[in-house]
Amino acid sequence: MHRLSRRSVNTLLRYGGRHRRDAAAAASVASPILNESGGQKDTSSRWYSVLAGTHSGPTSTKPMELGTMIPSGRRYESTASDFDTPDVPVENNASDALDKLRFLSVTAPELMEGAPELDIRIQTDQENGIITLTDSGIGMTHEELVDSLGTIAHSGTAKFLKALKDSKDAGTDSNLIGQFGVGFYSAFLVADKVVVSTKSPKSDKQYVWEGEANSSSYIVREETDPEKLIPRGTSIKLHLKRDDKGFAHPERIERLVKNYSQFVSFPIYTWQEKGYTKEVEVDEDPADAKKDGTDDNVEKKKKTKKVVEKYWDWELTNETQPIWLRNPKEVTTQEYNEFYRKAFNEYLDPLASSHFTTEGEVEFRSILYVPAVTPMGKEDIVNPKTKNIRLYVKRVFISDDFDGELFPRYLSFVKGVVDSNDLPLNVSREILQESRVVRIMRKRLVRKAFDMILGISMSENREDYEKFWENFGKHLKLGCIEDRENHKRLAPLLRFFSSQSEQEMISLDEYVENMKPDQKDIYYIAADSVTSAKNTPFLERLYEKDLEVLFLVDPIDEVAVTNLKAYKEKNFVDISKEDLDIGDKNEEKEKEMKQEFGHICDWMKKRLGDKVASVQISNRLKASPCVLVSGKFGWSANMERLMKAQTVGDSSSLDFMRSRRVLEINPEHPIIQKLSAACNSSGDDEEAMRAIDLLYDTALISSGFTPESPSHFGGKIYEMMNMALSNKWGPQQPSFDMHSSQPQEAEIVAEPQPTLEAEVVEPVESGSQK
């Protein structure tokens, strides 16, 4: 026998109308258009056998046509009626039965007589493992019952819609759900036996259909038990399999209904245990009365206690009016927030919401929300699989497990509901990925999400967007990398610190508005913090010219801006790369500088060798002697640092992406001028060579790079410190001829020793003694 996992119940309930219809789905298989022949009096059971191809019973003599039936994982043959019946619609769930009755009662009010209330009721027998689902819908005649349940994949709803289309009532929206014809037989996934009892308002008889999972036949008979008669509608009784009797628990049924059928347009009641508190009298023990010493003739106040009285009653489980189907003008902000907190288990109100209806090529309704904060412990923006979007088809919950089909992963923080009439109820992941309808829905949902976020950014309360950016700014930066089509929507939403706004982030629009009249580009520098960025030597000349520079201090910032390339026809320019143009080029002055300092550039390049691509005169320095800039098309110092940190194992594979490095010198700085003099007088001087090496290593660090050998660089710094400290606080040397103006450096650096006195004697001393 086929065993069902826990997911099988979801399958059962989805086919019947996926929400609360989890249980109500199979409950009602009824037909709205009735056959007059259904009123025949017949109390005999009819047994249909696939083996004989005929049926037994006094009133039926026609042979049966074979249909298909799949009750429990194996294929069985079952008979289908060959009655000469009209093209009658038969539905596969309780909601459709009620919808059809309501639709037909507009022209035939008599159909509602006897049971004016339209609802669905689910009752459980936990002890025996039985679920009973009853609706007060259209019901079925004998012929419709055999025609519907005798053939698998027979959809009465599809027939009904086709009949509407072909009739004068074409175009009427009846909100019918089940259109597949397999929902009823999914009941055998969890049930060994299914009993369907149905009563049509156009027939004076109530008929019962019985089928078992391990049988190749079913029974149709007239209901004769007065206690089981219903005024109108259909009742389905599921005798659950042993492993699936847990679904008969009332609380479990309630959860399933709330999850899948919350917004079915008819009330769904479940049979629940309730209780109330009352006081009852307590019999007093005579022994206790004697101890109290009270007079028996005196009337005493009787003792009472509180007890909980249990009882069973129907409880409304669903909300019949989805908030997204209401007119947005009639819904208050409080109602939107209340729905958000309830639907997504949130405790804070959202930052913004958007309620809209899309019509035309694709029709759907939606409410989207921007949360106030990110979920705790879920800061990974790379994972697109969230349960933030709940997809409904005709108010029936389908799924909240998506992998980027409705929203790109950088907008995965957006929460909401989407209700479409254009998708099938049996929508699968493959359908979502390949459906043209879904692609159109995704495009419009993304556009609405951007409009909502833009609304937050334009709010008078600047703190609202600051809160949003703190929580979801990285998501939008990821969008700059992954979604080129929406760059124009993403760029205005970005925020950065800058050289003129170190405490408060600014937008790109604010930057462009503050640009100098002759400024052509948007300048930026990438660093690990605002402090590092504002102290970088690349900014010196831009500070002097009062040019604003964006500080990209988030690891993802540089990649995002690089993918944007430009904003409002202004190119993004990294000031740490070569060929920087800040609008002050003077070709004559540059030519003079090259003639005057060209020799030192060649000299330094010869010393540094392959460490740098070239040595050039800088136009960006003011106070620093030199800076190491990156090539135009390679990584910046910041990107190189980040990529090294992410590399696992051997980092040599990243060498091909490292940028060429150019050492730019400041010819106005004293150090460069002294080196120029050293180059002119003694180009091979060892101290000058060491100074060039130290200058390069220092430029590495100040420019954001990492020295290849930090310990070697540290040794150079210690040596220089030792020389400086010895000059100022070194031990006092023994007295000698004060006319000596050329003391040897070796004596200054050396540690004081008694034998050093003999080394003080110089030729000048002997001449003075004459």
Side-chain angles (χ1 to χ4, degrees), residues 58-74:
T59 61
S60 297
T61 58
K62 294 185 179 181
M64 299 294 103
E65 292 183 355
L66 297 183
T68 58
M69 180 175 177
I70 309 175
S72 61
R74 289 178 291 172

Side-chain angles (χ1 to χ4, degrees), residues 5 9-10 23 49 55 78 140 143 214-215 258 289 298 339 360 389 399 474 499 514 602 622 629:
S5 65
V9 165
N10 295 342
S49 173
H55 64 278
S78 175
M140 286 182 287
E143 290 78 6
N214 58 352
S215 175
K258 286 184 176 179
V298 178
F339 173 77
I389 299 297
S399 178
K474 289 183 179 180
S499 58
N514 295 333
D602 297 336
K622 179 69 176 177
V629 301

Side-chain angles (χ1 to χ4, degrees), residues 349-418:
D349 290 340
L351 285 178
S353 63
S354 177
H355 183 186
F356 59 93
T357 301
T358 300
E359 297 178 347
E361 190 176 9
V362 174
E363 295 185 5
F364 66 91
R365 295 172 179 267
S366 178
I367 300 179
L368 300 179
Y369 295 94
V370 174
V373 295
T374 55
M376 296 183 62
K378 296 181 179 179
E379 298 179 354
D380 184 11
I381 64 175
V382 177
N383 182 15
K385 298 189 70 173
T386 66
K387 294 186 178 294
N388 291 341
I389 299 297
R390 298 173 63 88
L391 176 63
Y392 293 80
V393 174
K394 299 177 182 177
R395 309 172 314 284
V396 175
F397 174 66
I398 300 300
S399 178
D400 59 2
D401 184 16
F402 297 105
D403 192 7
E405 290 87 358
L406 292 178
F407 273 98
R409 66 173 181 170
Y410 69 89
L411 289 177
S412 60
F413 63 89
V414 176
K415 298 186 177 184
V417 296
V418 180

